Amino acid sequence: MAQEIEEYVSDEEGEVFIDSGDVLAEVPDDGDHVMDEDDEAEDGVGDLPSGDSDVKDNSLQHFTTHNGSVFAISCHPTEPLAVSGGEDDLGYIWDITDGEVIVKLTGHTDSVCSASFSSDGQMVATGGMDGRVRIWRRVGTVNFRNWEFLTELQGPDEVIWLRWHPRGTILLAGSNDSTVWLWQLPSGNTMQVFAGHSGPVQCGEFTPDGKRIVTASEDGTLMYWDPRSSTPLFKLSPEDARFDLENITSLAINASSTLAVVGGTSGSVRVVSLSKGEVVGALGGHAGGESIEAVQFVDLAGTGSSPGVVVTGGTDGKACIWDLTTMRLRATLEHQDAVTSLLTHPAPKSHLIVSASADNTLRTWDARTGALVKEHTGHHGPILSASLGLQGSVVVSGGDDSACLVFTTEIDESG
């Protein structure tokens, strides 16, 4: 087991190596596994969902197959596909250009609260409140229309979140029972179980270099892990007055894997040095007692090397943009209700961010100035999840209204 983990984290240049023994034989595409592509698909703009007549819908496409709230959505890293999970205990892989179902992801007995593609786009994972983590795999090499069920991973009591390794087929899951699980795919072997929190593990991330893991809990603790060890490298807790955030609800790590920014239910935000294991800054722009629901780093310089800029979103309806060099507020972005998700664009438009809100809208902003670039409307309920696709040119959202909508992130200048 230790050797398996070593292959992913030991190289000094951050490269990831997969043992040749983990590569399975290629599965021939015989067309019997799932639905095939509809060659007669329409042009990609479907009928608009019924609902409040005063809501303008400026989406490109919608997906309304879920029967209940959509809790999770993730876009494929390269293809025009999304995977969604919902209150109806189901997941779907679907085509964002025409709303066609590619495959229905079954097997859960409670809400699917997490769903995401692996970093290479060859696998998809769904995690549920039933504690199950189910993995599907692409079949064949011709296209991404055929998928097969691979395995079910068990261990957690109730899955809160899933994260794929940034460059390998390793999956991390945070649980309601205070544990964090690490699995190797496609074998499904458990690589590590991290115990040490005393409450639900609300958030967790691999560092972008793939070598470490950061987790944070409802109990107010943050832990920094080497995947090869079940003992944390360091732990911060509310006993340290500088770190008391009440329940921790959100976390992000900068591109150089040196800083973490965490937010909690107190409305406070802390900047943590991962090399020193200590708090190096406090950000206080949100209303007291308003939970910090989302955190994202923004690489305005495009280099990924400076302390940079971070944006925090709270239930007070604000998204605050911070300069971490000075620990000062650059701009405040406003929604009419809680900010539920924040997304940052890839280069060369890394200055663009998208916020999603319980006010039923998403908004694209220019983080350099705080200017609103575009408002995305069409949902008839709070937006619970969002993901960027096709190199950031589209944003796909999942809502409490059972719908997933697809928008262009910027104004279409040709329209």
mmCIF file of all heavy atoms in Angstrom, residues 1-10 184 190-192 226-229:
data_model
loop_
_atom_site.group_PDB
_atom_site.id
_atom_site.type_symbol
_atom_site.label_atom_id
_atom_site.label_comp_id
_atom_site.label_asym_id
_atom_site.label_seq_id
_atom_site.Cartn_x
_atom_site.Cartn_y
_atom_site.Cartn_z
ATOM 1 N N MET A 1 0.826 -1.218 0.000
ATOM 2 C CA MET A 1 0.000 0.000 0.000
ATOM 3 C C MET A 1 0.856 1.263 0.000
ATOM 4 O O MET A 1 0.629 2.182 -0.766
ATOM 5 C CB MET A 1 -0.929 -0.009 1.208
ATOM 6 C CG MET A 1 -1.877 1.182 1.264
ATOM 7 S SD MET A 1 -2.922 1.163 2.726
ATOM 8 C CE MET A 1 -3.858 -0.324 2.490
ATOM 9 N N ALA A 2 1.906 1.277 0.849
ATOM 10 C CA ALA A 2 2.767 2.456 0.916
ATOM 11 C C ALA A 2 3.442 2.707 -0.420
ATOM 12 O O ALA A 2 3.624 3.843 -0.841
ATOM 13 C CB ALA A 2 3.813 2.283 2.013
ATOM 14 N N GLN A 3 3.822 1.599 -1.109
ATOM 15 C CA GLN A 3 4.479 1.766 -2.402
ATOM 16 C C GLN A 3 3.538 2.376 -3.418
ATOM 17 O O GLN A 3 3.923 3.210 -4.237
ATOM 18 C CB GLN A 3 4.999 0.417 -2.898
ATOM 19 C CG GLN A 3 5.780 0.523 -4.220
ATOM 20 C CD GLN A 3 6.354 -0.790 -4.666
ATOM 21 O OE1 GLN A 3 6.244 -1.780 -3.967
ATOM 22 N NE2 GLN A 3 6.955 -0.794 -5.830
ATOM 23 N N GLU A 4 2.250 1.952 -3.387
ATOM 24 C CA GLU A 4 1.255 2.523 -4.297
ATOM 25 C C GLU A 4 1.172 4.027 -4.130
ATOM 26 O O GLU A 4 1.173 4.781 -5.098
ATOM 27 C CB GLU A 4 -0.127 1.913 -4.026
ATOM 28 C CG GLU A 4 -0.310 0.524 -4.595
ATOM 29 C CD GLU A 4 -1.717 0.023 -4.350
ATOM 30 O OE1 GLU A 4 -2.396 0.579 -3.462
ATOM 31 O OE2 GLU A 4 -2.137 -0.912 -5.029
ATOM 32 N N ILE A 5 1.117 4.486 -2.890
ATOM 33 C CA ILE A 5 1.010 5.913 -2.628
ATOM 34 C C ILE A 5 2.293 6.620 -3.066
ATOM 35 O O ILE A 5 2.255 7.702 -3.632
ATOM 36 C CB ILE A 5 0.733 6.176 -1.136
ATOM 37 C CG1 ILE A 5 -0.561 5.477 -0.710
ATOM 38 C CG2 ILE A 5 0.633 7.660 -0.861
ATOM 39 C CD1 ILE A 5 -0.862 5.582 0.747
ATOM 40 N N GLU A 6 3.425 5.990 -2.814
ATOM 41 C CA GLU A 6 4.721 6.577 -3.156
ATOM 42 C C GLU A 6 4.778 6.963 -4.623
ATOM 43 O O GLU A 6 5.324 7.998 -4.997
ATOM 44 C CB GLU A 6 5.826 5.564 -2.843
ATOM 45 C CG GLU A 6 7.237 6.111 -2.978
ATOM 46 C CD GLU A 6 7.665 6.871 -1.739
ATOM 47 O OE1 GLU A 6 7.137 6.590 -0.648
ATOM 48 O OE2 GLU A 6 8.521 7.746 -1.882
ATOM 49 N N GLU A 7 4.171 6.132 -5.488
ATOM 50 C CA GLU A 7 4.230 6.398 -6.926
ATOM 51 C C GLU A 7 3.540 7.699 -7.287
ATOM 52 O O GLU A 7 3.808 8.289 -8.333
ATOM 53 C CB GLU A 7 3.582 5.233 -7.684
ATOM 54 C CG GLU A 7 4.426 3.955 -7.601
ATOM 55 C CD GLU A 7 3.635 2.716 -7.980
ATOM 56 O OE1 GLU A 7 2.423 2.847 -8.222
ATOM 57 O OE2 GLU A 7 4.225 1.630 -8.018
ATOM 58 N N TYR A 8 2.644 8.164 -6.431
ATOM 59 C CA TYR A 8 1.892 9.376 -6.742
ATOM 60 C C TYR A 8 2.482 10.627 -6.124
ATOM 61 O O TYR A 8 2.218 11.723 -6.586
ATOM 62 C CB TYR A 8 0.436 9.225 -6.275
ATOM 63 C CG TYR A 8 -0.374 8.392 -7.222
ATOM 64 C CD1 TYR A 8 -0.354 7.020 -7.153
ATOM 65 C CD2 TYR A 8 -1.136 8.992 -8.224
ATOM 66 C CE1 TYR A 8 -1.076 6.254 -8.039
ATOM 67 C CE2 TYR A 8 -1.854 8.236 -9.111
ATOM 68 C CZ TYR A 8 -1.826 6.870 -9.017
ATOM 69 O OH TYR A 8 -2.546 6.111 -9.900
ATOM 70 N N VAL A 9 3.237 10.500 -5.070
ATOM 71 C CA VAL A 9 3.615 11.710 -4.337
ATOM 72 C C VAL A 9 5.111 11.900 -4.141
ATOM 73 O O VAL A 9 5.531 12.949 -3.679
ATOM 74 C CB VAL A 9 2.945 11.733 -2.941
ATOM 75 C CG1 VAL A 9 1.456 11.698 -3.065
ATOM 76 C CG2 VAL A 9 3.438 10.573 -2.075
ATOM 77 N N SER A 10 5.935 10.929 -4.516
ATOM 78 C CA SER A 10 7.339 11.017 -4.119
ATOM 79 C C SER A 10 8.201 11.811 -5.079
ATOM 80 O O SER A 10 9.248 12.311 -4.698
ATOM 81 C CB SER A 10 7.923 9.608 -3.971
ATOM 82 O OG SER A 10 7.894 8.927 -5.215
ATOM 83 N N GLN A 184 -7.308 3.866 -4.551
ATOM 84 C CA GLN A 184 -6.643 3.758 -5.846
ATOM 85 C C GLN A 184 -7.616 3.147 -6.845
ATOM 86 O O GLN A 184 -8.311 2.177 -6.548
ATOM 87 C CB GLN A 184 -5.417 2.856 -5.722
ATOM 88 C CG GLN A 184 -4.876 2.375 -7.046
ATOM 89 C CD GLN A 184 -3.487 2.859 -7.318
ATOM 90 O OE1 GLN A 184 -2.644 2.835 -6.441
ATOM 91 N NE2 GLN A 184 -3.241 3.301 -8.528
ATOM 92 N N THR A 190 -8.233 0.405 -0.942
ATOM 93 C CA THR A 190 -8.128 1.496 0.018
ATOM 94 C C THR A 190 -6.652 1.769 0.288
ATOM 95 O O THR A 190 -5.909 0.875 0.693
ATOM 96 C CB THR A 190 -8.831 1.136 1.335
ATOM 97 O OG1 THR A 190 -10.213 0.863 1.065
ATOM 98 C CG2 THR A 190 -8.733 2.280 2.334
ATOM 99 N N MET A 191 -6.219 2.998 0.037
ATOM 100 C CA MET A 191 -4.820 3.370 0.230
ATOM 101 C C MET A 191 -4.568 3.925 1.615
ATOM 102 O O MET A 191 -3.486 3.749 2.180
ATOM 103 C CB MET A 191 -4.411 4.396 -0.828
ATOM 104 C CG MET A 191 -4.549 3.889 -2.247
ATOM 105 S SD MET A 191 -4.206 5.161 -3.482
ATOM 106 C CE MET A 191 -2.431 5.330 -3.323
ATOM 107 N N GLN A 192 -5.572 4.653 2.165
ATOM 108 C CA GLN A 192 -5.398 5.258 3.479
ATOM 109 C C GLN A 192 -6.764 5.659 4.031
ATOM 110 O O GLN A 192 -7.667 6.014 3.268
ATOM 111 C CB GLN A 192 -4.513 6.500 3.379
ATOM 112 C CG GLN A 192 -3.885 6.968 4.670
ATOM 113 C CD GLN A 192 -2.843 6.012 5.199
ATOM 114 O OE1 GLN A 192 -3.131 5.217 6.093
ATOM 115 N NE2 GLN A 192 -1.632 6.058 4.644
ATOM 116 N N ASP A 226 0.367 13.991 4.771
ATOM 117 C CA ASP A 226 1.123 13.279 3.753
ATOM 118 C C ASP A 226 0.313 12.004 3.472
ATOM 119 O O ASP A 226 0.030 11.237 4.400
ATOM 120 C CB ASP A 226 2.516 12.916 4.289
ATOM 121 C CG ASP A 226 3.383 12.207 3.260
ATOM 122 O OD1 ASP A 226 2.834 11.477 2.402
ATOM 123 O OD2 ASP A 226 4.610 12.350 3.317
ATOM 124 N N PRO A 227 -0.086 11.747 2.202
ATOM 125 C CA PRO A 227 -0.938 10.582 1.925
ATOM 126 C C PRO A 227 -0.331 9.259 2.369
ATOM 127 O O PRO A 227 -1.057 8.277 2.554
ATOM 128 C CB PRO A 227 -1.093 10.625 0.400
ATOM 129 C CG PRO A 227 -0.854 12.034 0.013
ATOM 130 C CD PRO A 227 0.162 12.548 0.988
ATOM 131 N N ARG A 228 0.981 9.216 2.562
ATOM 132 C CA ARG A 228 1.635 7.973 2.962
ATOM 133 C C ARG A 228 1.492 7.684 4.446
ATOM 134 O O ARG A 228 1.880 6.596 4.908
ATOM 135 C CB ARG A 228 3.116 8.034 2.579
ATOM 136 C CG ARG A 228 3.349 8.102 1.079
ATOM 137 C CD ARG A 228 4.762 8.524 0.725
ATOM 138 N NE ARG A 228 5.010 9.930 1.044
ATOM 139 C CZ ARG A 228 6.044 10.620 0.584
ATOM 140 N NH1 ARG A 228 6.917 10.026 -0.214
ATOM 141 N NH2 ARG A 228 6.208 11.885 0.894
ATOM 142 N N SER A 229 0.947 8.635 5.208
ATOM 143 C CA SER A 229 0.870 8.459 6.661
ATOM 144 C C SER A 229 -0.536 8.760 7.168
ATOM 145 O O SER A 229 -1.214 9.659 6.671
ATOM 146 C CB SER A 229 1.862 9.394 7.352
ATOM 147 O OG SER A 229 1.673 9.393 8.752
#
